[in-house]
């Protein structure tokens, strides 16, 4: 059974391709490699023994995207990961983010509708909740106005999918709202490949531990949290990848209750930045050179998921302990070297 994976050479996409192939599904990856590397296919093949089909296509190229769907009309579902995702860059380049993320989605949906590929899993984000008034956030928690153009593309993408599903009753879609994906495959054959100076906590932390960066800045210890640093729900990337396989089966087997559903994909547990550093040191025995600095503009204080709905409806839950996730991130960093 063929599954189209857009953005499949990216961080979360590559881990998901591994889980799909290990589940016996056939994968065709579509990616323009704007934020990923073709060598990721070697890592996927190294883990699964199968080299997934790959096509280099830019999803904003509508004729090329429709031609792709025409050739893959036998696919049963699409997992749409492809998007630009750097929050800060999206503030500086809003038009590029809206153009890429929204046109890519609309071209995918057009291809699906035109060629009868009826099932979609979409990568959304907990950023749609902003700083929620009540924590943890459930799927009923109201979405807040997005803090960045990137976040807004997720809100708008969810709305585009919801509106299309209202009139295309033969189509089905699940949006997965990821919390903070971290870690790498335990084989250390695939992982996150940050370009330039990382913005996110874990790649910055592992690069500091590896001596590539001198010091990790902890952005604020004066938040209203137990140790003063912000709280997040850090989800292992392999656990996250498995949620996609479960979502695909739900759609393929017609177990979805509505033709547009959305789920929180997190662990249900909050960890502070300082707790992450401590867990990393425990897991690896490597000390992290860090200092507390001022708050980062645009950061929210705390967010974590209520995962009851995902646990009960999908029959999925996060399994990997945080120390194991951080040890995998470290193994991947060591493989990347300096
Ligand atoms: P990533 O950058 O590693 O992967 C995205 C892939 O999409 C890349 O391989 C890139 O080359 C490709 N791509 C981008 N624009 C494209 C286009 N126009 N045509 C074809 N390919 C294109 O990012 P990721 O971390 O794997 O994220 C995957 C998805 O999950 C994204 O939609 C992202 O917004 C979402 N998400 C990520 C996080 C996170 O923290 N990593 C959190 C919440 C949601
Ligand atoms: C952000 C986005 C999220 C996006 C994700 C990945 C928001 C609200 N969230 O999540 O939508 O999917 O990035 O791009 O915009 N930290 C440090 N030092 C560092 C880096 C981070 O202390 O060098 C802290 C941050 O203050 C935060 C935590 O670590 O409290 C996690 O930060 P990060 O990994 O950047 O993710 P988010 O900001 O939660």
């Amino acid at each position: 059974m063929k599954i189209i994976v857009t953005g499949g050479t990216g961080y979360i996409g590559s881990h998901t391709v591994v889980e799909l192939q290990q589940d016996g599904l056939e994968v065709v990856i579509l990616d323009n490699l704007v934020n990923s590397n073709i060598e990721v296919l070697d890592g996927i093949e190294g883990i699964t023994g199968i080299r997934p089909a790959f096509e280099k296509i830019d999803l904003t190229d509508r004729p090329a995207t429709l031609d792709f769907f025409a050739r893959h009309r036998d696919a049963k579902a699409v997992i749409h990961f492809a998007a630009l995702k750097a929050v800060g860059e999206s503030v500086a380049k809003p038009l590029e983010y809206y153009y890429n993320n929204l046109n890519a989605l609309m071209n995918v949906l057009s291809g699906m509708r035109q060629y009868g590929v009826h099932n979609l899993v979409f990568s959304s984000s907990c950023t749609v909740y902003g700083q929620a008034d009540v924590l943890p956030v459930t799927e009923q928690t109201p979405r807040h106005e997005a803090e960045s153009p990137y976040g807004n593309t997720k809100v708008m993408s969810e709305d585009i999918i919801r509106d299309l599903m209202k009139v295309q009753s033969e189509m089905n879609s699940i949006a997965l709202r990821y919390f903070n994906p971290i870690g790498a495959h335990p084989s250390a054959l695939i992982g996150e490949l940050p370009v330039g100076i990382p913005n996110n906590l874990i790649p910055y932390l592992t690069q500091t531990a590896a001596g590539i960066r001198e010091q990790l800045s902890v952005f604020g210890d004066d938040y209203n949290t137990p140790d003063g640093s912000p709280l997040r729900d850090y989800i292992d990337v392999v656990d996250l990848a498995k949620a996609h396989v479960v979502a695909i089966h739900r759609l393929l087997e017609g177990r979805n209750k509505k033709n547009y559903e959305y789920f929180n994909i997190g662990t249900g547990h909050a960890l502070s930045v300082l707790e992450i550093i401590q867990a990393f040191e425990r897991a690896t025995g490597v000390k992290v050179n860090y200092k507390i600095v001022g708050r980062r503009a645009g950061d929210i204080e705390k967010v974590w998921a209520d995962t009851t709905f995902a646990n009960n409806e999908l029959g999925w839950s996060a399994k990997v302990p945080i120390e194991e996730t951080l040890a995998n991130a470290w193994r991947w960093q060591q493989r990347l070297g300096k």
Side-chain angles (χ1 to χ4, degrees):
M1 205 174 291
K2 189 195 279 184
I3 312 293
I4 294 168
V5 181
T6 76
T9 43
Y11 173 45
I12 304 168
S14 57
H15 290 81
T16 302
V17 169
V18 165
E19 297 303 319
L20 291 166
Q21 293 193 154
Q22 287 181 336
D23 194 60
L25 295 162
E26 180 193 344
V27 171
V28 54
I29 296 175
L30 180 163
D31 202 300
N32 66 354
L33 302 176
V34 69
N35 198 40
S36 56
N37 197 310
I38 193 72
E39 273 116 59
V40 166
L41 299 181
D42 299 336
I44 295 171
E45 187 177 4
I47 297 167
T48 63
I50 303 163
R51 195 170 187 85
F54 173 84
E55 294 195 31
K56 186 173 178 215
I57 292 171
D58 187 333
L59 285 170
T60 65
D61 181 340
R62 189 172 172 86
T65 304
L66 293 181
D67 174 66
F68 173 89
F69 274 93
R71 288 182 289 105
H72 295 287
R73 64 181 84 195
D74 56 328
K76 295 293 174 226
V78 178
I79 308 182
H80 181 49
F81 290 105
L84 298 175
K85 62 157 183 178
V87 177
E89 186 184 57
S90 80
V91 176
K93 298 180 179 174
L95 198 54
E96 284 78 356
Y97 270 66
Y98 287 119
Y99 184 87
N100 189 74
N101 293 0
L102 299 180
N103 281 309
L105 172 70
M106 289 189 283
N107 289 337
V108 165
L109 290 171
S110 301
M112 291 176 66
R113 183 176 63 178
Q114 195 162 330
Y115 294 103
V117 182
H118 286 154
N119 299 303
L120 173 72
V121 176
F122 174 69
S123 297
S124 191
S125 167
C126 71
T127 193
V128 302
Y129 296 117
Q131 180 57 74
D133 301 324
V134 181
L135 289 162
V137 292
T138 72
E139 287 77 358
Q140 273 66 56
T141 300
R143 296 180 317 182
H144 272 183
E145 199 176 323
E147 311 253 344
S148 67
Y150 163 74
N152 208 21
T153 68
K154 292 300 175 192
V155 174
M156 293 166 85
S157 295
E158 285 193 356
D159 289 350
I160 290 168
I161 294 168
R162 178 202 61 202
D163 291 349
L164 183 66
M165 294 304 127
K166 279 183 194 158
V167 293
Q168 299 290 150
S169 57
E170 75 287 6
M171 289 177 80
N172 296 295
S173 178
I174 292 178
L176 300 179
R177 292 174 175 168
Y178 315 154
F179 281 65
N180 284 54
I182 61 165
H185 195 270
S187 64
L189 291 176
I190 54 171
E192 193 170 4
L193 273 176
V195 180
I197 302 172
N199 291 308
N200 297 117
L201 176 62
I202 301 305
Y204 207 104
L205 187 160
T206 57
Q207 289 193 6
T208 306
I212 300 168
R213 313 272 157 217
E214 202 180 318
Q215 194 167 47
L216 170 69
S217 296
V218 173
F219 297 136
D221 68 347
D222 56 351
Y223 285 99
N224 182 23
T225 61
D227 64 22
S229 64
L231 297 176
R232 297 285 186 277
D233 186 335
Y234 295 94
I235 167 93
D236 185 274
V237 68
V238 175
D239 274 337
L240 174 60
K242 287 180 175 157
H244 294 79
V245 180
V246 171
I248 283 289
H249 282 294
R250 182 176 175 87
L251 294 174
L252 294 181
E253 289 152 26
R255 284 186 280 110
N256 48 313
K257 304 260 164 73
K258 301 179 196 149
N259 78 332
Y260 173 54
E261 300 178 307
Y262 43 95
F263 295 92
N264 287 344
I265 303 296
T267 65
H269 302 291
L271 287 173
S272 73
V273 176
L274 294 172
E275 283 174 321
I276 285 284
I277 295 171
Q278 289 154 13
F280 179 86
E281 291 181 343
R282 266 200 314 279
T284 63
V286 180
K287 278 270 169 222
V288 180
N289 180 22
Y290 73 90
K291 73 164 184 235
I292 314 276
V293 301
R295 293 181 178 196
R296 179 171 70 175
D299 265 351
I300 56 167
E301 184 170 87
K302 43 188 154 186
V303 64
W304 71 97
D306 181 325
T307 58
T308 312
F309 187 55
N311 299 157
N312 293 346
E313 273 298 317
L314 295 178
W316 166 92
S317 59
K319 296 262 178 342
V320 185
I322 188 69
E323 283 82 4
E324 208 172 305
T325 300
L326 293 170
N328 288 335
W330 178 229
R331 207 170 303 131
W332 169 245
Q333 179 64 60
Q334 286 174 300
R335 181 148 186 277
L336 285 179
K338 295 203 175 191

